[in-house]
Structure formats: structure tokens, C-alpha cells
Amino acid sequence: MADAASRLTRVAEQLLGVPLPVRIRAWDGSQAGPPATPVLVIRNRRALRRLLFKPGELGLARAWVAGDLDIEGDLYAALDAMAGLIWERGDDARSLVQAMRDPEVRAAARELLKLAGPPLPPAPPREEVRRRRHLHTRHSDKRAISHHYDVGNDFYEIVLGASMVYSCAYWGPAEEDATLVSAQRDKLELVCRKLGLTPGRRLLDVGCGWGSMAIHAAREHGVGVVGITLSQEQAAYARKRVADEGLTDRVEIRVQDYRDVVDGPFDAISSIGMAEHVGTERYLEYTSALYALLKPGGRLLNHQIARRPQRDEGAYEVDRFIDAYVFPDGELAPIGTTVTQLERAGFEVRDVESIREHYARTLRHWVANLETGWDRAVRLSSPGRARVWRLYMAACALAFERNRIGVNQVLAVRTPESGASGLPLRTRTWHG
Ligand SMILES: C[S@@+](CC[C@H](N)C(=O)[O-])C[C@H]1O[C@@H](n2cnc3c(N)ncnc32)[C@H](O)[C@@H]1O
């Protein structure tokens, strides 16, 4: 009688219509599939139940989070090989048996269903909700941010390293010289240069995280900074760093929603890795609020992840794994939409720089940091959380590498009626 791994391989190959690109090892020790490839480990029957009764991204994700499913070998190679192979099938697993044309494979599917046992109880409602658009009220945004960021500063220290910057770094051509710290510093410096910061000016850093941009801008460019975040934990951490740097007279950190800032105007605004939280429905409100907070001639640097446009934009759905397990209520928009919404608010969009490859490299560093600090990360969060983060960051690195998503810095100016933008004629001198 065939073993679990060969049965699963045969059924999966007929379902997918292509040979499985990874090896499978089942709980009974059986193995099947190509040699010298990463191994997909099915640790128990529960994993099999999840795969058979709720296939697709969430079925896989749940099995991964629970530790029922694992990958041995190169995680990136495994994810890359399996990308696009996920089958989304809403119907009952028993119809799977009928779908098998080859009688031998049909028998294997029947055996697998027997091995798997009855379906698992339904998942918590949050995972099952297939919302296309989120509401993004102040209340819901605060709750979503807490879910993501209040996992604890110690956990983020492990992943992000000493720079505590949670957005794409800016790498130089000399790979061997750069570290995550130097590349993050270069990114912050690039933003400061694009914003034309000079001593005495006033900067608003929307979504200030742990205060890195606020501190860099105040220390290196002598500006006064207001940094806002929705996370209490981040604000406390940022305030301490500001005090340690002796910058309390120049940097103020607030727990505040960008919609509640009333003490404009500012000379410049930076928004780095924050606008992903805003949501399509609210995006014009966001760009208009920032426009209103700038002086005439003031500049905004919006640094944001973008997705590719869809043939039918109305059919766009948020990524269900990321929505359920990582970033509740996060939403990506194509770069064209971001530019249009900035223009609709009144901005003159002057420069768009895609730094996609930089994010892939940044994420690979974060994954390596997490792997190095694994035991501590698990103690500080939970095995499930640490596993989710590793998978999420590795999958995102691949998505950037393969151009499935991008990240852009958009420089926009509140150009006055005179048309004097205040920008130099040759802006590429930013790069030194
Ligand atoms: C990915 S983090 C980026 C942090 C920082 N800019 C960096 O690069 O390290 C996103 C930040 O946006 C903040 N944020 C999200 N929604 C916000 C809102 N409505 N108002 C103010 N801050 C918000 C979060 O609290 C968090 O600090």
C-alpha cells in the first residue's frame, strides 16, 4: 500500500497539473517528490486535514502557524518554487475525489481523506471575512496598529536591528560595505535631502515608528520635528531615544492620528511606510490632510509599497494571509493611484523613485536577524507569531524580487500659485 507522501504527491500533481517542485515528507516518515529540493514537511494528520479541507493560502497559513507544516532547506527556494501553485477551491474536499480522472489517483485521494479524518471546525470569523475594502475609522486604525506594533519593542529590536527602522533601506552599489544600519541611515538621509531640510525648519514625520527619522533629521539637519504614531509602545521607545540623544528641545513624539494634527503649517512632511495603513477609501482624505498641513512651497516625501494594477480594479482583494495574521486592515494601491490622489489634493508631483530591489534586500536582512534571534523571538512573542513573521517577510522579499509588488518614494510639493516649486533644476544630485 502506498505511503502518505506518495499519495499526497500524486493527488497534488493531478490537481495542479504540474509536477510538484518540492519534496514531501509525511508524519509517517515517508517521502516523495524530486530529490535535492527543499522539503515540505507534513508533521501530522491535522496538517493534511487543513490542506484537504481548506486548501489555498489560508489553509496553508494556518497549518504553518500551528507548526503542522514546515519547510526544510532553503525557505526562499521553496516559496519561489511553490508560488502560483496554491489552488483556491471553495468546494467540499470529497468532490476532489470525483475530480480525479485516473482511477489510481482517485483511490489515493480516497485513502488520503480517510487518513485525514473529519474536517476541522471553522476558523475564527476574522480569517473568513473577505472584505475588499476596510473602513479605516480612527478607532479601527488604532486597533489594527496595536495588533501589529504592540507585539513589543524587544521583538522588533531582534528583527529590525539597531536602526529600528521598519521600512525599506537604501543600499549602495558596494554590497560588501553596507550593513542594515548604514543602509537605513542612507535612506533617512535621502529623505532629508529630498525634503531640502535646513536648520530651523519644521518637519512632521507621520507614522514615526520608533523615532529614527525624527532623530536623524533633528540631529543631522537641525530641524524641529513632530513625530506621530498610533502605537503607545513605539512612542514610549521613541521618547526615550530622543531624550538619550539630548534632542528633547527639538523633537516631540505624540500618539496621534494624522487626521488630528492641528498645529501646522510645517515646512516638510515625511511619511515612510505609513500610507499602507490608510486604505483606498480614505486616501484622498490623507493626501488632503497632509496638503493642508504644509506651508506653500512645502514638500511631502511619501514612501510607500505599491501593488500592480489589476485588470479589474474593483475586484481587488487584500491578501488574506497578511490581513488575518500580520497587518490587519493594510491595503496596497498601485503607484498611479497614489500619484493621482496626491494631485487631486493639490500637490505637484515632482519625482517618483522606485526602490523595489532595496526592499527585497532589506527583508532578507530582517529574516536573517529573526533566524539568528529565533529562541528569544519565540520567548517574547509565541512560536506561531515568530513563524508567521518569518514566512511573511520571506514571501514579501520574493514578491519584491519578482516584481509582484514595488515600493516608491514620491516627492510632492505644495507649489504656490506663482509656480515656484523651490526645487533645484537637477534633482538627481541627491545621490551625491
Ligand atoms: C511600518 S511603520 C513605519 C515606521 C517608520 N516610519 C519607519 O520607517 O520605521 C508605520 C507607522 O505608521 C503609524 N500609523 C499608522 N496609521 C497611522 C495614523 N492613522 N496616524 C498616525 N500614524 C499612523 C504606525 O503607528 C507606525 O508608527
Side-chain angles (χ1 to χ4, degrees):
M1 196 207 256
D3 54 50
S6 349
R7 281 192 203 115
L8 192 55
T9 304
R10 296 183 80 175
V11 171
E13 289 187 343
Q14 192 164 110
L15 260 182
L16 298 167
V18 288
L20 262 192
V22 291
R23 201 164 171 74
I24 287 188
R25 193 172 77 235
W27 66 93
D28 59 357
S30 60
Q31 293 201 31
T37 53
V39 181
L40 187 64
V41 186
I42 318 279
R43 291 218 184 280
N44 49 40
R45 290 168 193 238
R46 196 169 55 173
L48 188 61
R49 281 205 287 281
R50 289 192 202 274
L51 291 176
L52 292 178
F53 291 102
K54 183 71 194 162
E57 204 173 306
L58 276 183
L60 286 172
R62 254 180 248 133
W64 177 270
V65 172
D68 296 340
L69 195 69
D70 212 344
I71 288 170
E72 278 174 11
D74 185 335
L75 177 62
Y76 297 100
L79 292 176
D80 208 18
M82 291 190 296
L85 287 190
I86 291 167
W87 73 94
E88 294 287 351
R89 205 178 33 81
D91 50 343
D92 187 86
R94 277 156 219 286
S95 63
L96 168 140
V97 176
Q98 312 310 324
M100 301 289 123
R101 290 177 303 279
D102 179 329
E104 264 185 52
V105 185
R106 194 156 55 225
R110 234 180 244 122
E111 284 301 316
L112 274 179
L113 284 175
K114 250 190 253 160
L115 277 177
L120 293 158
R126 149 138 230 116
E127 293 181 13
E128 295 302 332
V129 180
R130 299 193 69 164
R131 288 162 306 162
R132 289 206 336 247
R133 297 280 183 254
H134 295 298
L135 287 174
H136 291 283
T137 61
R138 283 173 176 73
H139 179 70
S140 69
D141 279 355
K142 185 140 192 154
R143 209 185 42 228
I145 293 293
S146 296
H147 174 89
H148 190 71
Y149 294 103
D150 292 347
V151 50
N153 295 331
D154 296 345
F155 182 85
Y156 280 99
E157 274 178 351
I158 293 172
V159 175
L160 305 179
S163 43
M164 283 302 264
V165 179
Y166 189 24
S167 48
C168 170
Y170 199 61
W171 301 91
E175 196 160 320
E176 55 287 354
D177 296 342
T179 62
L180 185 57
V181 170
S182 69
Q184 288 295 10
R185 190 192 52 231
D186 287 355
K187 188 271 299 297
L188 299 177
E189 181 57 20
L190 178 68
V191 172
C192 292
R193 289 196 199 183
K194 288 182 175 182
L195 289 174
L197 300 184
T198 50
R201 300 227 169 169
R202 209 163 162 247
L203 169 73
L204 173 66
D205 186 36
V206 178
C208 67
W210 295 268
S212 305
M213 173 66 190
I215 290 169
H216 181 93
R219 191 181 54 209
E220 306 298 328
H221 297 271
V223 289
V225 190
V226 172
I228 59 167
T229 169
L230 290 183
S231 157
Q232 296 281 359
E233 288 232 12
Q234 283 182 344
Y237 190 97
R239 285 186 194 121
K240 180 164 183 324
R241 281 175 89 195
V242 169
D244 290 349
E245 291 272 347
L247 289 169
T248 35
D249 57 332
R250 255 182 276 162
V251 180
E252 184 192 352
I253 303 290
R254 303 177 189 157
V255 176
Q256 191 173 40
D257 192 291
Y258 70 88
R259 288 160 281 203
D260 297 330
V261 177
V262 288
D263 53 339
F266 292 86
D267 296 290
I269 300 178
S270 47
S271 175
I272 308 174
M274 180 270 162
E276 293 85 346
H277 294 289
V278 170
T280 316
E281 299 288 299
R282 303 265 177 176
Y283 209 84
L284 185 57
E285 188 185 339
Y286 163 75
T287 53
S288 304
L290 300 195
Y291 185 85
L293 284 166
L294 277 173
K295 283 182 188 160
R299 298 182 197 173
L300 163 69
L301 192 289
N302 191 72
H303 172 126
Q304 185 185 341
I305 299 173
R307 64 175 169 85
R308 303 288 156 226
Q310 310 250 311
R311 214 178 275 272
D312 173 11
E313 270 296 309
Y316 165 69
E317 287 184 0
V318 294
D319 184 298
R320 287 186 293 147
F321 165 65
I322 292 179
D323 193 52
Y325 286 101
V326 194
F327 253 126
D329 293 6
E331 223 176 298
L332 300 183
I335 178 62
T337 308
T338 300
V339 168
T340 299
Q341 300 291 46
L342 284 163
E343 289 185 325
R344 282 183 66 198
F347 280 106
E348 181 191 7
V349 172
R350 293 294 303 232
D351 190 77
V352 178
E353 185 181 8
S354 165
I355 52 171
R356 177 173 61 78
E357 293 85 350
H358 296 251
Y359 219 151
R361 207 156 140 196
T362 307
L363 281 154
R364 280 181 179 259
H365 277 261
W366 291 344
V367 171
N369 283 348
L370 178 59
E371 287 170 348
T372 306
W374 187 257
D375 292 344
R376 203 163 160 256
V378 167
R379 273 200 309 279
L380 288 169
S381 56
S382 66
R385 193 103 181 203
R387 290 170 64 77
V388 163
W389 274 75
R390 181 163 172 260
L391 181 67
Y392 150 68
M393 293 193 297
C396 284
L398 282 169
F400 283 107
E401 263 157 32
R402 299 281 176 248
N403 193 23
R404 288 194 287 274
I405 50 177
V407 57
N408 304 281
Q409 288 195 342
V410 182
L411 180 66
V413 183
R414 179 172 173 161
T415 304
E417 267 180 31
S418 69
S421 70
L423 283 176
L425 282 178
R426 291 190 177 192
T427 48
R428 290 297 169 189
T429 48
W430 286 322
H431 301 280

PDB file of all heavy atoms in Angstrom, residues 395-414:
ATOM      1  N   ALA A 395       8.285  35.745   2.148  1.00  0.00           N
ATOM      2  CA  ALA A 395       7.378  35.810   0.988  1.00  0.00           C
ATOM      3  C   ALA A 395       7.377  37.221   0.404  1.00  0.00           C
ATOM      4  O   ALA A 395       7.342  37.401  -0.819  1.00  0.00           O
ATOM      5  CB  ALA A 395       5.969  35.399   1.400  1.00  0.00           C
ATOM      6  N   CYS A 396       7.435  38.240   1.257  1.00  0.00           N
ATOM      7  CA  CYS A 396       7.469  39.622   0.760  1.00  0.00           C
ATOM      8  C   CYS A 396       8.775  39.882   0.010  1.00  0.00           C
ATOM      9  O   CYS A 396       8.778  40.545  -1.032  1.00  0.00           O
ATOM     10  CB  CYS A 396       7.331  40.622   1.903  1.00  0.00           C
ATOM     11  SG  CYS A 396       5.655  40.749   2.513  1.00  0.00           S
ATOM     12  N   ALA A 397       9.902  39.363   0.536  1.00  0.00           N
ATOM     13  CA  ALA A 397      11.189  39.556  -0.159  1.00  0.00           C
ATOM     14  C   ALA A 397      11.081  39.013  -1.590  1.00  0.00           C
ATOM     15  O   ALA A 397      11.491  39.667  -2.555  1.00  0.00           O
ATOM     16  CB  ALA A 397      12.309  38.840   0.596  1.00  0.00           C
ATOM     17  N   LEU A 398      10.468  37.834  -1.717  1.00  0.00           N
ATOM     18  CA  LEU A 398      10.317  37.242  -3.054  1.00  0.00           C
ATOM     19  C   LEU A 398       9.378  38.067  -3.927  1.00  0.00           C
ATOM     20  O   LEU A 398       9.609  38.238  -5.115  1.00  0.00           O
ATOM     21  CB  LEU A 398       9.773  35.822  -2.943  1.00  0.00           C
ATOM     22  CG  LEU A 398      10.802  34.773  -2.546  1.00  0.00           C
ATOM     23  CD1 LEU A 398      10.115  33.469  -2.203  1.00  0.00           C
ATOM     24  CD2 LEU A 398      11.797  34.574  -3.687  1.00  0.00           C
ATOM     25  N   ALA A 399       8.320  38.585  -3.303  1.00  0.00           N
ATOM     26  CA  ALA A 399       7.353  39.376  -4.076  1.00  0.00           C
ATOM     27  C   ALA A 399       8.029  40.638  -4.643  1.00  0.00           C
ATOM     28  O   ALA A 399       7.775  41.028  -5.789  1.00  0.00           O
ATOM     29  CB  ALA A 399       6.161  39.759  -3.201  1.00  0.00           C
ATOM     30  N   PHE A 400       8.911  41.242  -3.863  1.00  0.00           N
ATOM     31  CA  PHE A 400       9.655  42.405  -4.391  1.00  0.00           C
ATOM     32  C   PHE A 400      10.636  41.962  -5.469  1.00  0.00           C
ATOM     33  O   PHE A 400      10.741  42.581  -6.523  1.00  0.00           O
ATOM     34  CB  PHE A 400      10.402  43.129  -3.264  1.00  0.00           C
ATOM     35  CG  PHE A 400       9.498  44.002  -2.412  1.00  0.00           C
ATOM     36  CD1 PHE A 400       9.153  43.631  -1.125  1.00  0.00           C
ATOM     37  CD2 PHE A 400       8.983  45.194  -2.917  1.00  0.00           C
ATOM     38  CE1 PHE A 400       8.326  44.424  -0.333  1.00  0.00           C
ATOM     39  CE2 PHE A 400       8.142  45.994  -2.136  1.00  0.00           C
ATOM     40  CZ  PHE A 400       7.823  45.620  -0.849  1.00  0.00           C
ATOM     41  N   GLU A 401      11.339  40.865  -5.203  1.00  0.00           N
ATOM     42  CA  GLU A 401      12.333  40.384  -6.179  1.00  0.00           C
ATOM     43  C   GLU A 401      11.679  40.072  -7.514  1.00  0.00           C
ATOM     44  O   GLU A 401      12.217  40.378  -8.563  1.00  0.00           O
ATOM     45  CB  GLU A 401      13.007  39.118  -5.647  1.00  0.00           C
ATOM     46  CG  GLU A 401      14.332  39.414  -4.983  1.00  0.00           C
ATOM     47  CD  GLU A 401      14.744  38.333  -3.981  1.00  0.00           C
ATOM     48  OE1 GLU A 401      14.419  37.145  -4.181  1.00  0.00           O
ATOM     49  OE2 GLU A 401      15.363  38.702  -2.991  1.00  0.00           O
ATOM     50  N   ARG A 402      10.502  39.482  -7.468  1.00  0.00           N
ATOM     51  CA  ARG A 402       9.849  39.043  -8.704  1.00  0.00           C
ATOM     52  C   ARG A 402       8.953  40.128  -9.304  1.00  0.00           C
ATOM     53  O   ARG A 402       8.172  39.861 -10.212  1.00  0.00           O
ATOM     54  CB  ARG A 402       8.995  37.797  -8.421  1.00  0.00           C
ATOM     55  CG  ARG A 402       9.794  36.613  -7.918  1.00  0.00           C
ATOM     56  CD  ARG A 402      10.509  35.897  -9.059  1.00  0.00           C
ATOM     57  NE  ARG A 402      11.331  34.831  -8.543  1.00  0.00           N
ATOM     58  CZ  ARG A 402      12.662  34.828  -8.569  1.00  0.00           C
ATOM     59  NH1 ARG A 402      13.310  35.851  -9.106  1.00  0.00           N
ATOM     60  NH2 ARG A 402      13.352  33.827  -8.096  1.00  0.00           N
ATOM     61  N   ASN A 403       9.014  41.333  -8.731  1.00  0.00           N
ATOM     62  CA  ASN A 403       8.241  42.472  -9.258  1.00  0.00           C
ATOM     63  C   ASN A 403       6.730  42.268  -9.146  1.00  0.00           C
ATOM     64  O   ASN A 403       5.951  42.791  -9.936  1.00  0.00           O
ATOM     65  CB  ASN A 403       8.626  42.751 -10.723  1.00  0.00           C
ATOM     66  CG  ASN A 403       8.097  44.088 -11.202  1.00  0.00           C
ATOM     67  OD1 ASN A 403       7.823  44.993 -10.404  1.00  0.00           O
ATOM     68  ND2 ASN A 403       7.923  44.224 -12.511  1.00  0.00           N
ATOM     69  N   ARG A 404       6.314  41.477  -8.152  1.00  0.00           N
ATOM     70  CA  ARG A 404       4.867  41.365  -7.925  1.00  0.00           C
ATOM     71  C   ARG A 404       4.362  42.577  -7.156  1.00  0.00           C
ATOM     72  O   ARG A 404       3.213  42.957  -7.259  1.00  0.00           O
ATOM     73  CB  ARG A 404       4.532  40.070  -7.168  1.00  0.00           C
ATOM     74  CG  ARG A 404       4.696  38.832  -8.041  1.00  0.00           C
ATOM     75  CD  ARG A 404       4.040  37.616  -7.411  1.00  0.00           C
ATOM     76  NE  ARG A 404       4.779  37.123  -6.273  1.00  0.00           N
ATOM     77  CZ  ARG A 404       5.792  36.260  -6.342  1.00  0.00           C
ATOM     78  NH1 ARG A 404       6.174  35.773  -7.509  1.00  0.00           N
ATOM     79  NH2 ARG A 404       6.419  35.859  -5.255  1.00  0.00           N
ATOM     80  N   ILE A 405       5.230  43.149  -6.306  1.00  0.00           N
ATOM     81  CA  ILE A 405       4.925  44.417  -5.648  1.00  0.00           C
ATOM     82  C   ILE A 405       6.141  45.326  -5.759  1.00  0.00           C
ATOM     83  O   ILE A 405       7.239  44.866  -6.094  1.00  0.00           O
ATOM     84  CB  ILE A 405       4.533  44.246  -4.147  1.00  0.00           C
ATOM     85  CG1 ILE A 405       5.547  43.393  -3.402  1.00  0.00           C
ATOM     86  CG2 ILE A 405       3.143  43.676  -3.996  1.00  0.00           C
ATOM     87  CD1 ILE A 405       5.254  43.262  -1.912  1.00  0.00           C
ATOM     88  N   GLY A 406       5.926  46.615  -5.490  1.00  0.00           N
ATOM     89  CA  GLY A 406       7.025  47.566  -5.577  1.00  0.00           C
ATOM     90  C   GLY A 406       6.997  48.512  -4.386  1.00  0.00           C
ATOM     91  O   GLY A 406       6.118  48.411  -3.515  1.00  0.00           O
ATOM     92  N   VAL A 407       7.969  49.413  -4.334  1.00  0.00           N
ATOM     93  CA  VAL A 407       7.958  50.439  -3.289  1.00  0.00           C
ATOM     94  C   VAL A 407       8.544  51.701  -3.910  1.00  0.00           C
ATOM     95  O   VAL A 407       9.494  51.633  -4.697  1.00  0.00           O
ATOM     96  CB  VAL A 407       8.726  49.990  -2.020  1.00  0.00           C
ATOM     97  CG1 VAL A 407      10.156  49.613  -2.311  1.00  0.00           C
ATOM     98  CG2 VAL A 407       8.677  51.053  -0.923  1.00  0.00           C
ATOM     99  N   ASN A 408       7.912  52.832  -3.604  1.00  0.00           N
ATOM    100  CA  ASN A 408       8.293  54.082  -4.255  1.00  0.00           C
ATOM    101  C   ASN A 408       8.418  55.222  -3.268  1.00  0.00           C
ATOM    102  O   ASN A 408       7.655  55.297  -2.302  1.00  0.00           O
ATOM    103  CB  ASN A 408       7.215  54.492  -5.284  1.00  0.00           C
ATOM    104  CG  ASN A 408       6.967  53.405  -6.295  1.00  0.00           C
ATOM    105  OD1 ASN A 408       7.734  53.243  -7.238  1.00  0.00           O
ATOM    106  ND2 ASN A 408       5.913  52.621  -6.096  1.00  0.00           N
ATOM    107  N   GLN A 409       9.347  56.114  -3.556  1.00  0.00           N
ATOM    108  CA  GLN A 409       9.397  57.389  -2.850  1.00  0.00           C
ATOM    109  C   GLN A 409       8.834  58.441  -3.805  1.00  0.00           C
ATOM    110  O   GLN A 409       9.345  58.637  -4.907  1.00  0.00           O
ATOM    111  CB  GLN A 409      10.830  57.751  -2.491  1.00  0.00           C
ATOM    112  CG  GLN A 409      11.393  56.885  -1.386  1.00  0.00           C
ATOM    113  CD  GLN A 409      12.663  57.462  -0.769  1.00  0.00           C
ATOM    114  OE1 GLN A 409      13.318  58.329  -1.358  1.00  0.00           O
ATOM    115  NE2 GLN A 409      13.012  56.992   0.417  1.00  0.00           N
ATOM    116  N   VAL A 410       7.777  59.102  -3.366  1.00  0.00           N
ATOM    117  CA  VAL A 410       7.156  60.139  -4.196  1.00  0.00           C
ATOM    118  C   VAL A 410       7.394  61.489  -3.522  1.00  0.00           C
ATOM    119  O   VAL A 410       7.046  61.669  -2.354  1.00  0.00           O
ATOM    120  CB  VAL A 410       5.636  59.906  -4.343  1.00  0.00           C
ATOM    121  CG1 VAL A 410       5.015  60.975  -5.243  1.00  0.00           C
ATOM    122  CG2 VAL A 410       5.356  58.517  -4.888  1.00  0.00           C
ATOM    123  N   LEU A 411       7.999  62.395  -4.262  1.00  0.00           N
ATOM    124  CA  LEU A 411       8.211  63.750  -3.743  1.00  0.00           C
ATOM    125  C   LEU A 411       7.140  64.655  -4.340  1.00  0.00           C
ATOM    126  O   LEU A 411       7.018  64.754  -5.570  1.00  0.00           O
ATOM    127  CB  LEU A 411       9.597  64.271  -4.114  1.00  0.00           C
ATOM    128  CG  LEU A 411       9.902  65.680  -3.603  1.00  0.00           C
ATOM    129  CD1 LEU A 411       9.985  65.719  -2.079  1.00  0.00           C
ATOM    130  CD2 LEU A 411      11.192  66.221  -4.205  1.00  0.00           C
ATOM    131  N   ALA A 412       6.365  65.288  -3.476  1.00  0.00           N
ATOM    132  CA  ALA A 412       5.271  66.152  -3.945  1.00  0.00           C
ATOM    133  C   ALA A 412       5.397  67.503  -3.240  1.00  0.00           C
ATOM    134  O   ALA A 412       5.805  67.577  -2.086  1.00  0.00           O
ATOM    135  CB  ALA A 412       3.938  65.504  -3.603  1.00  0.00           C
ATOM    136  N   VAL A 413       5.066  68.561  -3.976  1.00  0.00           N
ATOM    137  CA  VAL A 413       5.249  69.912  -3.450  1.00  0.00           C
ATOM    138  C   VAL A 413       3.907  70.635  -3.405  1.00  0.00           C
ATOM    139  O   VAL A 413       3.090  70.487  -4.318  1.00  0.00           O
ATOM    140  CB  VAL A 413       6.229  70.717  -4.345  1.00  0.00           C
ATOM    141  CG1 VAL A 413       6.492  72.106  -3.761  1.00  0.00           C
ATOM    142  CG2 VAL A 413       7.536  69.955  -4.501  1.00  0.00           C
ATOM    143  N   ARG A 414       3.704  71.387  -2.331  1.00  0.00           N
ATOM    144  CA  ARG A 414       2.555  72.288  -2.307  1.00  0.00           C
ATOM    145  C   ARG A 414       2.996  73.558  -3.035  1.00  0.00           C
ATOM    146  O   ARG A 414       3.331  74.596  -2.438  1.00  0.00           O
ATOM    147  CB  ARG A 414       2.135  72.594  -0.872  1.00  0.00           C
ATOM    148  CG  ARG A 414       0.954  73.541  -0.825  1.00  0.00           C
ATOM    149  CD  ARG A 414       0.380  73.733   0.554  1.00  0.00           C
ATOM    150  NE  ARG A 414      -0.627  74.795   0.470  1.00  0.00           N
ATOM    151  CZ  ARG A 414      -1.573  75.009   1.349  1.00  0.00           C
ATOM    152  NH1 ARG A 414      -1.667  74.253   2.419  1.00  0.00           N
ATOM    153  NH2 ARG A 414      -2.433  75.993   1.192  1.00  0.00           N
TER     154      ARG A 414
END
